[in-house]
Amino acid sequence: MYPNILRHPGPTPIPKKVELAMTENMISHRTEEFVRLYKDATERIKSVFGTKQDILLLPSGGTAALEAAVVNTVSPGEEIVVITVGAFGDYFVSICEKYGLHVHKLEKNWGEACTKEELVEFLKPLSNIKAVFATYNETSTGILNPVKQLAEAVHEHSNALFIIDGVSGIGGAPAEMDEWGIDILVTGSQKAMMLPPGLALIAVNEKAWKVIEDNSSTSYYLNLLSYREWAAKSMTPNTPAISLIMGLSAVSDLIEEEGGFSKTIERHEVMKNMVRESMKALSIELLTSDEYASPTITAIRTPEGLNLAAYLGHLKKKYHLDFAGGLGPLQGKIFRFGHMGYCFPSDVLQAVSLMEAGLQDFSYEFEPGAGVKAAQDVFLSSLKKVAYVK
Ligand code: PLP
């Protein structure tokens, strides 16, 4: 009866328009109709990646596209760098290790970003690095790595490819793949892209294609050359996630309705500030500094003396508000407030208000209404520049 108020870092709520688009009659992927759909869906979503390159569509979760980015570009024994600032950086390390790569791990404390200077220092003694892998938006901590600056470090100090996991960032955070010098950019459908799980998107530039063409190690299903060959005909090598591609076209309609992707980015920025200012007003600590704070997910430290598991369970049971807990070493120490994709300032106001109601139920000492007021102030002052379409 009651809706689940899903404030997770993915999967996230699906807009009605996207849902309806996905219920269109099924079509075959070897038809003119599919060619039209594929062209429309992949052309229009390029603005979200900031690229002129083709967007390849894999019928998979984000992990398969990360794996594709690894297996197509580097071979066992080769040296690579993985920048890890949390659980998903570690995940990238695991994928690379599984493929027998020699991994140099640039590891930061969870809750911190990696800076250009740190990467430059790290790269200095390494002369044979084939690729640098990094997470753009670290979902476990709410850090947005300064990928533009990191790309400069990679290209100024090595010949390596710069390969980015954009899952949980792309669709809500700025991305200028071509301008920044990202060689491969990957994302998944179920986070800021406003789609259900099951579609991975991957863009590859000319420099990376050259490396891929010369690379002898690859997988059959994740062979990007085969994806490129079929993309030239606006098709995929095997059966694609057709319904999700129909949904992807509708996502571009929504972005256009909002006034273009720059407006979508502004909305995410406003929501980020609403969440952060409301927590500050409640004297509840945030895990990350404002400087590298993610526009799509905020990690909030467990309020002093609160039983976090009981509190999150209570919010879900009584108010249908569903936050995500912490991962790995942050389990019990933080919870994560997702504000990505089909999420609006009104949704943030609702979640902050319910959070406060839950705190009162737990007799937590705070000034009731202070969080809502702070979020509202950010929202109202943003109204002049952001058009909110729902
Ligand atoms: N990378 C990041 C940053 C993620 O947040 C996730 C999922 O949460 C993944 C990779 C893995 O994606 P998937 O679960 O779609 O395979």
Side-chain angles (χ1 to χ4, degrees), residues 28-29 75 93 109 144 162 167 207 215 229 297 330 339 378:
S28 158
H29 58 296
S75 304
V93 170
N109 291 332
L144 192 74
F162 188 44
V167 179
K207 179 178 171 187
N215 184 37
E229 199 181 312
I297 174 101
L330 292 177
H339 36 86
V378 174

Side-chain angles (χ1 to χ4, degrees), residues 33-291:
E33 284 158 289
F34 180 78
V35 166
R36 276 197 299 278
L37 169 67
Y38 183 96
K39 277 188 184 153
D40 181 73
T42 56
E43 271 305 311
R44 288 200 293 153
I45 209 65
K46 286 180 180 178
S47 65
V48 170
F49 277 64
T51 189
K52 291 196 165 46
Q53 303 296 337
D54 287 341
I55 308 287
L56 306 174
L57 302 176
L58 278 59
S60 69
T63 305
L66 295 181
E67 202 162 330
V70 173
V71 69
N72 283 272
T73 56
V74 281
S75 304
E78 287 187 331
E79 289 186 55
I80 55 136
V81 169
V82 182
I83 299 169
T84 172
V85 303
F88 290 98
D90 287 354
Y91 194 60
F92 227 162
V93 170
S94 305
I95 295 172
C96 293
E97 286 179 346
K98 193 81 185 163
Y99 278 98
L101 301 170
H102 179 164
V103 180
H104 298 274
K105 199 164 26 155
L106 195 177
E107 204 168 4
K108 293 297 308 278
N109 291 332
W110 288 33
E112 291 174 9
C114 177
T115 64
K116 177 178 177 182
E117 294 69 33
E118 285 162 337
L119 181 57
V120 168
E121 282 308 305
F122 195 82
L123 287 173
K124 268 184 189 160
L126 305 172
S127 56
N128 204 20
I129 296 298
K130 301 291 180 209
V132 176
F133 296 87
T135 317
Y136 184 21
N137 191 71
E138 178 50 68
T139 321
S140 64
T141 61
I143 277 289
L144 192 74
N145 272 313
V147 155
K148 179 174 187 269
Q149 287 77 16
L150 297 178
E152 286 166 9
V154 173
H155 300 311
E156 285 163 13
H157 296 273
S158 78
N159 271 329
L161 293 179
F162 188 44
I163 299 177
I164 291 296
D165 169 357
V167 179
S168 90
I170 300 304
E176 295 296 342
M177 175 178 170
D178 296 349
E179 196 188 312
W180 296 352
I182 298 171
D183 297 307
I184 299 184
L185 179 58
V186 164
T187 198
S189 50
Q190 76 274 25
K191 295 178 184 281
M193 297 295 291
M194 303 192 275
L195 287 163
L199 186 71
L201 300 90
I202 176 163
V204 179
N205 73 8
E206 288 88 1
K207 179 178 171 187
W209 278 125
K210 283 205 180 72
V211 173
I212 293 172
E213 283 160 11
D214 292 342
N215 184 37
S216 56
S217 117
T218 190
S219 124
Y220 185 81
Y221 197 62
L222 301 177
N223 185 336
L224 291 178
L225 290 173
S226 164
Y227 273 89
R228 180 174 71 169
E229 199 181 312
W230 281 91
K233 296 179 270 186
S234 300
M235 287 191 194
T236 54
N238 30 57
T239 315
I242 297 169
S243 306
L244 287 160
I245 299 174
M246 291 168 170
L248 183 59
S249 273
V251 165
S252 287
D253 291 343
L254 289 176
I255 292 171
E256 278 166 27
E257 237 179 83
E258 190 166 23
F261 188 53
S262 61
K263 292 288 174 200
T264 309
I265 294 172
E266 280 177 25
R267 170 166 52 87
H268 281 83
E269 196 63 19
V270 171
M271 294 192 293
K272 170 190 86 175
N273 291 331
M274 288 174 73
V275 174
R276 296 183 76 79
E277 291 312 310
S278 65
M279 291 309 120
K280 289 175 197 168
L282 293 171
S283 302
I284 295 175
E285 280 182 43
L286 298 161
L287 179 68
T288 69
S289 69
D290 287 345
E291 189 179 4

